[in-house]
Amino acid sequence: MEAFTQKLAAIHQDVLRFAKIQLRDEYLAEDIVQDTLAAAIAKHSQFRGDAGLKTWVLSILKNKIADYFRSHKYTVSLESLQEENDAIERHYDHCFDENGHWQLADSPQNWQPAPEEAVARQDFFRALENCMQGLPQDTARIFYLREVMGWDVEEICREFAISKDNCYVILHRARNGLRRCLQYRWFDLAEEEGAGK
């Protein structure tokens, strides 16, 4: 058991960083991570090692965060959400022509290294976490619940008291904001580093 708790201590900061990004509240993140680690210790006999320890602990954390969101109903003010998302909208509006097609100069570039390779790199996840921090809080939460937690759009709409159309617009803006951020903070930098070698 002591060896198991030492392994948990070794991944504590990674787990906490993940929680802070999702919850945007340092103290709440600490509380939920402590609950997560306590649950992992209580269930340590269930850990079969099929997945890595961090993956197993993060799955417990994701369930705890989902439970938190379900128990604390969120109502999104569409006016304040619109204001928060205007900055993202301004950043990518000029990227499209009047028919909604990409402008050639602003279309997504070929990302090097390929996204499949980049995902395996820890630095990519740090860049993604930083980009998630740049999204408006409710936008990040809705994106996280849909794309990471796998919630249905209907469930998100109930939790945030928004329409499906609003949800799709929020997800679209989140994806565009993350794409632009990752283009500048990760893929362009990786390309520059590759050219410098």
Side-chain angles (χ1 to χ4, degrees):
M1 178 61 114
E2 185 176 337
F4 185 77
T5 56
Q6 287 174 349
K7 289 178 183 175
L8 288 178
I11 63 170
H12 178 265
Q13 287 306 313
D14 290 338
V15 174
L16 181 58
R17 185 169 56 247
F18 182 87
K20 284 179 182 176
I21 285 173
Q22 306 318 317
L23 298 166
R24 306 277 181 112
D25 180 323
E26 186 174 342
Y27 299 109
L28 177 60
E30 278 282 1
D31 287 346
I32 290 182
V33 166
Q34 291 305 318
D35 287 347
T36 298
L37 296 178
I41 290 169
K43 298 177 180 182
H44 79 281
S45 62
Q46 295 176 16
F47 177 64
R48 297 187 306 260
D50 297 341
L53 180 63
K54 192 191 315 188
T55 303
W56 183 68
V57 171
L58 284 176
S59 70
I60 296 171
L61 175 63
K62 287 175 187 177
N63 288 331
K64 297 261 181 209
I65 291 172
D67 290 345
Y68 172 80
F69 283 133
R70 284 189 181 102
S71 67
H72 294 79
K73 294 270 186 191
Y74 283 95
T75 302
V76 175
S77 162
L78 294 180
E79 289 175 16
S80 67
L81 190 58
Q82 181 63 44
E83 288 172 17
E84 291 176 344
N85 282 304
D86 279 346
I88 295 173
E89 195 77 34
R90 282 191 301 273
H91 280 294
Y92 70 84
D93 261 355
H94 71 279
C95 298
F96 303 96
D97 64 21
E98 61 277 354
N99 295 322
H101 299 116
W102 284 104
Q103 300 282 3
L104 185 59
D106 295 307
S107 64
Q109 305 299 310
N110 290 328
W111 288 353
Q112 296 296 329
E116 296 80 14
E117 295 170 30
V119 168
R121 295 173 59 178
Q122 181 124 8
D123 290 344
F124 174 80
F125 288 110
R126 284 195 199 101
L128 179 61
E129 289 171 0
N130 289 335
C131 289
M132 285 286 287
Q133 289 285 6
L135 292 176
Q137 184 172 350
D138 286 323
T139 300
R141 284 182 174 150
I142 289 169
F143 177 82
Y144 171 79
L145 290 171
R146 176 72 183 123
E147 301 300 337
V148 178
M149 303 297 293
W151 283 25
D152 291 331
V153 168
E154 292 80 5
E155 188 174 11
I156 293 169
C157 291
R158 280 194 305 274
E159 289 297 317
F160 286 83
I162 58 175
S163 71
K164 280 187 179 182
D165 287 342
N166 290 128
C167 187
Y168 288 124
V169 167
I170 291 165
L171 290 169
H172 174 74
R173 289 177 176 162
R175 290 180 189 115
N176 274 294
L178 289 173
R179 183 198 66 81
R180 287 188 62 83
C181 180
L182 287 171
Q183 182 73 45
Y184 294 119
R185 289 193 178 189
W186 176 254
F187 293 102
D188 284 351
L189 293 176
E191 190 172 296
E192 287 172 17
E193 288 172 7
K197 290 183 180 177

